[in-house]
Amino acid sequence: MRQGSLIAITAALAAGALTLTACGSRDSGDKGSDSGKGDGSTVVIGVDAPLTGDLSAMGLGIKNSADLATKNANKQNLVKGVTFKIEALDDQAQPSAGQQNASKLVSEQNVLGVVGPLNSSVAESMQKVFDDAKLAQVSPANTGPALSQGPDWQTKKVRPYKAYFRTATTDAIQGPFAAQYVYNTAKKKKVFVIDDKKTYGSGLAATFTAEFKKLGGKVVGTEHINPDAKDFSAVATKVKNSGAQIVYYGGEYPQAGPLSKQIKAAGAKIPLIGGDGIKDDTFMKLAGAESTGDLATSVGAPVEDLPSAKQYVQDYKSAGYKEEYSAYGGYAYDSAWAVIEAVKKVVDDNGGKLPSDARAKVTAAMQGVSFDGVTGKVAFDEFGDATNKQLTVYAVKNGAWTPVKSGTYTG
């Protein structure tokens, strides 16, 4: 997203990656867990996500999944002499909070990697802090292209920060993929484009718009909304009067749900489509019964449909977490596992012990990480981006997100 993503489905998980310890509620993940390995080293994996507020459903799924990865690594004794645990911090989807969290995690020397954040705008505030400290950051959800390819990514790709990685694909893929679905599959030729002016939303709307126009579609109206607003009736009226056949929304579900509902109430009985930021069950609660037919793209393929994710789904449920794993749980697990794999390589290369410059070495090792994960093959390209570029379109049917098309963007 998240600013923020079709998968080559692999048959096996990383070297027994998913056997579960008998562990309990999500609260146990805040301070992490250990498996009683005596005097061995403790490695902390930081987690930054919105754990409270409107986006907490996604944030808590990220936290719980990273916690599950550390528990499984400890259960397997994957890195001998090392116990993993998480430290989860709440960014409330606010860049200022994210930056403070980044500084806190950097100050704790046993933190050797960080999973998160959810939002690209938050990531922007954290990247330099982590990069200066050579502390690896792996987001399961950021999709803003500039984070890994620089502000001029459309004309010249330059990696700004070597400590930044992600397991989700980018909006350079997601926006155009949605445009191809709307124009070629849904046969909608007139779109009204709305965004929330945030990094994720505006970037996603821009890449969608460029591809839609390239295909021959017409943008019959554009609007920017205040993400703190609740009343979108003026925008809804503009949509109704525009003759649009569909609305594209760049933003997240707390606004997308009410926006969809108010557009329908204004008399425009047309679907709304957005990115991974709206693909949460809360969207349907906010949008109401008339959300049937609304659409969302999301990174990867449905976790429930992946042979590689079956053990993860089972383990997550068995762990007793109070919240669903949500849209990014599988990616968060793989993000944490990537850090664990990097730590394993560094320890193995150093005679079975953590070196004094472990952070820098873990960050360097991240570039070569490659394993069969929950979401498929996990590896990173020269920009730190996921090599897995699968996407899926979902439609609201019978009150649930139902996959309707999976594939990769062909541009």
Side-chain angles (χ1 to χ4, degrees), residues 120-192:
S120 293
S121 54
V122 177
E124 287 177 327
S125 74
M126 307 175 83
Q127 286 180 297
K128 188 177 188 303
V129 178
F130 288 136
D131 199 69
D132 287 348
K134 296 182 171 60
L135 179 58
Q137 170 188 11
V138 194
S139 174
N142 296 160
T143 55
L147 294 170
S148 57
Q149 299 174 18
D152 300 320
W153 62 271
Q154 290 174 302
T155 55
K156 184 180 180 182
K157 294 179 173 64
V158 177
R159 185 175 185 177
Y161 302 107
K162 291 186 177 180
Y164 179 81
F165 300 85
R166 55 177 145 199
T167 54
T169 195
T170 76
D171 292 333
I173 307 294
Q174 183 174 197
F177 179 74
Q180 289 187 350
Y181 178 84
V182 168
Y183 189 87
N184 294 327
T185 304
K187 306 297 184 184
K188 308 292 186 184
K189 312 303 182 186
K190 297 179 180 180
V191 65
F192 196 107

Side-chain angles (χ1 to χ4, degrees), residues 198-265:
K198 290 159 66 174
T199 306
Y200 166 68
S202 59
L204 193 56
T207 58
F208 170 89
T209 298
E211 180 71 12
F212 192 72
K213 288 181 176 178
K214 177 182 168 185
L215 291 168
K218 183 177 181 181
V219 177
V220 295
T222 60
E223 193 64 64
H224 306 288
I225 64 165
N226 179 353
D228 295 323
K230 302 295 182 186
D231 182 1
F232 306 118
S233 56
V235 177
T237 299
K238 289 182 180 179
V239 171
K240 179 181 182 296
N241 294 334
S242 71
Q245 299 170 308
I246 193 168
V247 172
Y248 188 85
Y249 177 64
E252 296 151 337
Y253 64 82
Q255 296 75 39
L259 180 62
S260 173
K261 187 174 186 177
Q262 292 174 40
I263 287 171
K264 271 82 164 176

Side-chain angles (χ1 to χ4, degrees), residues 349-361:
D349 289 350
N350 194 51
K353 296 181 180 179
L354 283 168
S356 58
D357 59 344
R359 274 188 182 171
K361 282 190 164 60

Side-chain angles (χ1 to χ4, degrees), residues 359-397:
R359 274 188 182 171
K361 282 190 164 60
V362 167
T363 298
M366 283 291 299
Q367 193 63 52
V369 161
S370 179
F371 61 94
D372 294 329
V374 171
T375 60
K377 187 72 175 180
V378 178
F380 306 104
D381 66 14
E382 67 270 30
F383 301 103
D385 286 335
T387 56
N388 182 344
K389 302 188 185 302
Q390 187 175 24
L391 289 150
T392 299
V393 178
Y394 296 81
V396 177
K397 295 181 180 180

Side-chain angles (χ1 to χ4, degrees), residues 34-53:
D34 60 54
S35 53
K37 294 184 183 173
D39 298 326
S41 302
T42 296
V43 168
V44 177
I45 298 176
V47 177
D48 177 88
L51 305 180
T52 60

